[in-house]
Amino acid sequence: MSLFQLLNGLTFAALLFVVASGFTLIFGLLRIVNLAHGALYLFGGYIGFTIATKLGSFTLGILGAMAAVAVMGFALNEGLLRFVRGFELRQVLLSLGVAFVLNDMSLVIWGGDSFTVPIPEELMGGFRVFGTFYPKYRLFVLLMGILIFIGLWVLINKTRLGALIRAGVDDAEMVEAAGINIQRVFLMTFLLGSALAGMGGVMGGAFLSLYPSADSEILVFSLAIVIIGGRGSLIGVGVGSLMVGLLNTMGQVMFPELAYFVIFGPMAAILAFRPMGLFGKAV
Amino acid sequence: MSGLSRSKSPMGALVVVAVLAVGVIAPYFLSRYQIGLATQILIFGMLAMSIDILVGFTGRTSLGHGAIFGTSTYVVLYCVTQAGMSPYLAVLLGIMSATVLAAIFALLAVRTNGVYFLLLTLALGMIVWGICLRWTQVTGGENGLRGDIRPKALADYKDFYWFILALAAMVTFGIRRFVNSPFGLTLRGIRDSDSRMRSLGYNVPLHLFIGFTMSGFFAGVAGAVYAFFNNFVSPSTVALTQSVESLLMAIIGGVGTLYGSFIGASALIALQNLVSSHTERWQSVLGITFTLIMIFAPEGIVGKFRALRAKYSAKH
């Protein structure tokens, strides 16, 4: 594997981390497997694309997409999921129904063509990394992935909200009994997780492009990462993203047509030996 | 034992005979288009029923059955159009590959339950979809595989309908026998409490493995004859939509009812045809239907009806 491919794998892993961290946060704390997460990613990407092309600002695109997708997450959580609280399977299937509607709506609004989010001038071109010419933008994605990892780590380990989230992952009822409004913590987490999906959509939309089935593809990767890394563990998402990102890139180099199959291997191995994932806690 | 076993009332048998009789004479009254719809309902009813083995009788919700079903369809079309085999041999191979695929899914899935089971089957199904989409040399990619592969004996659409009707009756009978067998009862035990079954000394993963593989076998049967019906297969046949639609059929019909699968299939296919003649937004309608059912009637139409009737008779 050349350095170029290694960097490709790492940057892809960074994008996956941004998307999957939101997914696993929601899964870990709220016990909601939000299968609309992929659709939120796609919507975020499209919204970011529209803002970035209309206003000519990539930053505004990212911020706008995050805000818009957080609002969508709010509507999903407060408008629909509240009716099925406490029923795990019904929640999952409901979010799947929502994913179908969102995917179809994006087709109505933006059509079936594929779009690429325009990147700002400063990020165009490339660097020479150890003799390999590499696009700046992808290194920016890698950097963002690392920054978000650090940001989330600080949030979860060093802040009050983070302490509540951790406590909620372990035992939400006890937290509530301690006089904390756990529903607010749930909502914050849901908004944060959704915003991360929106952000991922814009970031990914600039180098993977956006098309109608992009949401399912990113969702499968997120699922694989959660299965590998375990529920509600930040380190787990990090390791899972690295594994899936690197393996997928390797697979594309070695047998391009079956690249998808490569993520199946680690998933199978981990399920065989650690069904709760590498860093997951037994429920 | 009697409480668990099938209802052997003469009424029940009478209803089955009546429904079958209506099914047999239906082609004399229906248009060609309607017979096509009926055939489609029977095929997808079988698929939904295979899912009901897991959802209704084992307590495991699978989102990978579209992939198992579609794999069978792919194999049949590939064997006939690309490898030039006889359609009968192709059907056997199709069912076999679906069963093997289900066994592979099962090997991994038996270690999980609840939401994880659903996620895993979803992910596995999506991997199959990804392969069908990308492996262009074999699967034809987006274009899929096409060919008039129905054997000559079944070329007439009415004959084909009767063949599918007979097959559906056999599959229904087979699945009924399976879930009511002593083995089927252990699956229900696992549904209600797998820890209790384990402490009773049952090999729970093995039972789940067999249950899943059997379910995959029946999905494969439906998929193989779907190849004859459609003469075409593309990635959308193995896509998540397929799994979701067939799961929804099982749920609408009422999980754990088996026959409900055909009611669910009729409802969904009728809705699909109704919607498609007005708008292209079937996927949205499907998503909204799914969402509403999850909120208001997760026990399905048949289940809802039973619940309402129970409520009514309790009052009077």
Side-chain angles (χ1 to χ4, degrees), chain A residues 33 88 90 92-94 96-97 100-101 103-105 108 216-217 220 223 231 257 260-261 264 271-272, chain B residues 61 108 111 115-116 118-120 122 124 126 131 134-135 137 241 244 281 283-284 287 290 294-295 298:
Chain A
V33 183
E88 275 195 342
R90 280 167 70 187
V92 188
L93 296 173
L94 186 141
L96 186 61
F100 272 62
V101 177
N103 179 279
D104 207 34
M105 286 302 117
V108 174
S216 333
E217 289 174 12
V220 181
L223 287 178
R231 181 174 65 85
E257 294 183 316
Y260 230 53
F261 192 68
F264 176 83
L271 276 168
Chain B
T61 311
L108 299 174
R111 303 192 57 99
V115 177
Y116 276 98
L118 186 127
L119 292 188
L120 184 68
L122 171 70
L124 292 173
M126 296 282 257
I131 291 172
R134 304 260 168 75
W135 201 10
Q137 287 160 326
T241 320
V244 170
R281 304 269 70 83
Q283 225 198 343
S284 289
F290 209 79
M294 279 307 131
I295 293 177

Side-chain angles (χ1 to χ4, degrees), chain B residues 117-283:
Chain B
F117 185 90
L118 186 127
L119 292 188
L120 184 68
T121 48
L122 171 70
L124 292 173
M126 296 282 257
I127 289 172
V128 172
W129 168 76
I131 291 172
C132 289
L133 189 67
R134 304 260 168 75
W135 201 10
T136 347
Q137 287 160 326
V138 174
T139 63
E142 296 255 20
N143 298 326
L145 299 169
R146 189 184 294 277
D148 192 9
I149 61 160
R150 200 187 296 175
K152 284 209 178 60
L154 298 170
D156 181 64
Y157 66 96
K158 280 185 189 169
D159 292 341
F160 185 64
Y161 166 81
W162 279 313
F163 164 71
I164 296 292
L165 181 68
L167 184 72
M170 269 157 53
V171 164
T172 309
F173 180 73
I175 291 182
R176 211 179 125 89
R177 284 297 296 267
F178 178 67
V179 296
N180 287 318
S181 68
F183 180 82
L185 295 181
T186 66
L187 291 183
R188 290 189 214 184
I190 293 170
R191 173 192 67 190
D192 295 338
S193 167
D194 53 6
S195 58
R196 196 175 303 161
M197 289 301 280
R198 212 169 293 133
S199 47
L200 283 174
Y202 288 98
N203 186 345
V204 168
L206 179 68
H207 284 232
L208 282 174
F209 174 79
I210 297 173
F212 196 117
T213 311
M214 279 304 283
S215 159
F217 165 80
F218 287 115
V221 171
V225 291
Y226 182 66
F228 285 170
F229 173 75
N230 213 27
N231 287 326
F232 172 63
V233 64
S234 71
S236 66
T237 309
V238 288
L240 181 58
T241 320
Q242 185 78 265
S243 302
V244 170
E245 280 176 8
S246 37
L247 176 63
L248 187 56
M249 287 172 189
I251 291 177
I252 291 179
V255 294
T257 60
L258 290 190
Y259 303 112
S261 298
F262 290 108
I263 299 176
S266 314
L268 206 66
I269 289 173
L271 181 68
Q272 186 170 17
N273 274 275
L274 198 73
V275 170
S276 307
S277 57
H278 295 293
T279 155
E280 285 176 17
R281 304 269 70 83
W282 164 239
Q283 225 198 343

Side-chain angles (χ1 to χ4, degrees), chain A residues 228-239:
Chain A
I228 291 172
R231 181 174 65 85
S233 151
L234 193 63
I235 306 284
V237 194
V239 173

Side-chain angles (χ1 to χ4, degrees), chain B residues 85-100:
Chain B
M85 287 182 204
S86 105
Y88 299 107
L89 182 61
V91 161
L92 282 183
L93 285 176
I95 296 172
M96 256 172 61
S97 22
T99 314
V100 170

